[in-house]
Amino acid sequence: MPLATHGFDFGCMKHLFQFQPCSLQVFNMKFLGFPISNTCCNKILQFANTGCPPPLPYGLFMQSKNSCVQNSTPLPSQPPPLFRPPSPPSRPVPPSPPQPHCNPSTNVPQNYTGKYCNLESCITEMIDFYGKVCPVISKPCCEFISKVVENCPDQDGKLTQRSYEYCKNLKN
């Protein structure tokens, strides 16, 4: 026994689903004055030629259709083919530029005693990291920066804080 369709055309349902993403653009055109994209204009004009009932109130659909006709080039008489010939082979991707050369600090105090709030021994690494010359801070400097910032509340500049955040995340 055939499925009763009650006069509903399932071909129209296909067109309705293809049109559905464009509904928001139609409402934005009507109420906010935004243009409708070429992709949605193509779908609106294709839908208008299907013989299916409009997917929106008739006046709104016709307004969007008229807007598309005024602002677009005519559609080709046939939709593009589903098969696309293979594209020519692409060129090899050029090698990425070499990573920046980072100079780790050599005179980082090993045993921080909490007496000094001076980050001078790691300042070059911090500046290179902050200025994006070098993408990392060495582990010895990270340990030193963390200890100094945790013991010296006056170390709150952008350079110090960005370096400290990097080092804190490195530990996790």
Side-chain angles (χ1 to χ4, degrees):
M1 173 181 258
L3 178 64
T5 61
H6 301 287
F8 186 78
D9 182 356
F10 282 99
C12 288
M13 181 64 80
K14 175 184 150 198
H15 292 292
L16 180 65
F17 283 128
Q18 290 174 345
F19 175 82
Q20 192 252 342
C22 298
S23 298
L24 182 61
Q25 286 192 32
V26 171
F27 284 103
N28 284 341
M29 180 258 330
K30 170 72 174 168
F31 299 109
L32 301 175
F34 292 147
I36 299 172
S37 71
N38 288 337
T39 302
C40 281
C41 273
N42 287 340
K43 288 181 182 182
I44 290 168
L45 295 174
Q46 286 174 351
F47 199 100
N49 293 325
T50 63
C52 297
L56 299 169
Y58 182 78
L60 183 59
F61 182 75
M62 292 308 294
Q63 186 178 0
S64 65
K65 177 186 169 198
N66 292 338
S67 173
C68 288
V69 168
Q70 292 173 358
N71 298 324
S72 70
T73 56
L75 286 174
S77 59
Q78 291 184 334
L82 295 176
F83 172 75
R84 289 186 185 176
S87 59
S90 61
R91 294 185 210 159
V93 177
S96 59
Q99 289 294 323
H101 181 68
C102 301
N103 295 315
S105 302
T106 55
N107 60 344
V108 180
Q110 297 299 315
N111 296 321
Y112 178 74
T113 61
K115 294 180 183 176
Y116 304 103
C117 292
N118 187 342
L119 292 167
E120 187 175 331
S121 58
C122 292
I123 196 70
T124 302
E125 279 188 60
M126 292 168 64
I127 290 172
D128 286 349
F129 174 75
Y130 188 81
K132 298 183 176 151
V133 173
C134 187
V136 296
I137 298 174
S138 69
K139 185 171 179 154
C141 263
C142 269
E143 290 172 357
F144 182 69
I145 292 166
S146 295
K147 288 175 185 174
V148 170
V149 170
E150 289 164 4
N151 289 295
C152 301
D154 62 329
Q155 294 290 341
D156 60 354
K158 284 184 181 180
L159 173 65
T160 304
Q161 286 304 311
R162 186 175 288 172
S163 299
Y164 176 67
E165 287 299 317
Y166 168 81
C167 293
K168 194 166 67 171
N169 290 331
L170 189 64
K171 287 180 187 179
N172 297 334

